[in-house]
Amino acid sequence: MILLVASLCFLAFVLHLVKKKRLSTKYSLLWIVLSCAGIAAAAFPGWVFWLTDLFGFGLPVNMLFFGCIFFLMAATFSCVSIASDQSEHIRDLIQEVSLLKQRVEILEHENELLSEAALRRPDNRP
């Protein structure tokens, strides 16, 4: 009963974060699957025992610990992959901003030179 309530609360929390746009739908799928698995395990514990026998674990709790470790490894890999992609994107943005900043400085310098040249020119007005 505790697992069922905890899984339902966690699912509601994840959906709340998605609704408030504090968690991307893309990244919430892993957590929604985990919540649904917890709900299914609590509501129908027979499949947990069946999987325990199928994979040769001695006790269902051992299989659940293995599943949790596997899930944590998958979540960690997902976070590392996202961080790596963002790091490359940030590097590209920094390079682009640096090039644009250099171009702006060159244009400002050229503008100053043109302004000085215009000031030095005699006025041809009548």
Side-chain angles (χ1 to χ4, degrees):
M1 189 58 76
I2 293 173
L3 178 61
L4 182 62
V5 172
S7 296
L8 286 170
C9 289
F10 186 72
L11 179 61
F13 179 68
V14 169
L15 293 176
H16 173 74
L17 290 178
V18 170
K19 183 179 177 184
K20 294 285 185 179
K21 298 188 190 253
R22 296 187 65 206
L23 182 63
S24 169
T25 306
K26 177 181 174 181
Y27 303 127
S28 67
L29 292 177
L30 192 62
W31 301 108
I32 291 172
V33 168
L34 175 68
S35 299
C36 291
I39 292 167
F44 309 105
W47 69 272
V48 175
F49 291 101
W50 179 77
L51 284 176
T52 300
D53 292 337
L54 179 70
F55 291 116
F57 288 98
L59 298 170
V61 71
N62 292 340
M63 191 201 68
L64 290 175
F65 281 136
F66 175 78
C68 289
I69 290 170
F70 181 78
F71 174 78
L72 290 173
M73 287 174 56
T76 302
F77 180 76
S78 175
C79 289
V80 168
S81 175
I82 292 165
S84 178
D85 288 344
Q86 288 178 345
S87 176
E88 288 181 28
H89 187 66
I90 289 169
R91 188 195 69 233
D92 292 343
L93 288 174
I94 289 171
Q95 290 174 350
E96 186 176 334
V97 167
S98 297
L99 291 172
L100 290 172
K101 186 177 177 181
Q102 182 183 23
R103 180 69 180 142
V104 166
E105 289 173 358
I106 290 170
L107 290 173
E108 286 176 346
H109 182 67
E110 289 174 358
N111 191 26
E112 287 175 14
L113 293 176
L114 289 173
S115 295
E116 289 175 7
L119 290 175
R120 285 189 216 145
R121 217 178 312 151
D123 197 3
N124 293 335
R125 290 187 212 170

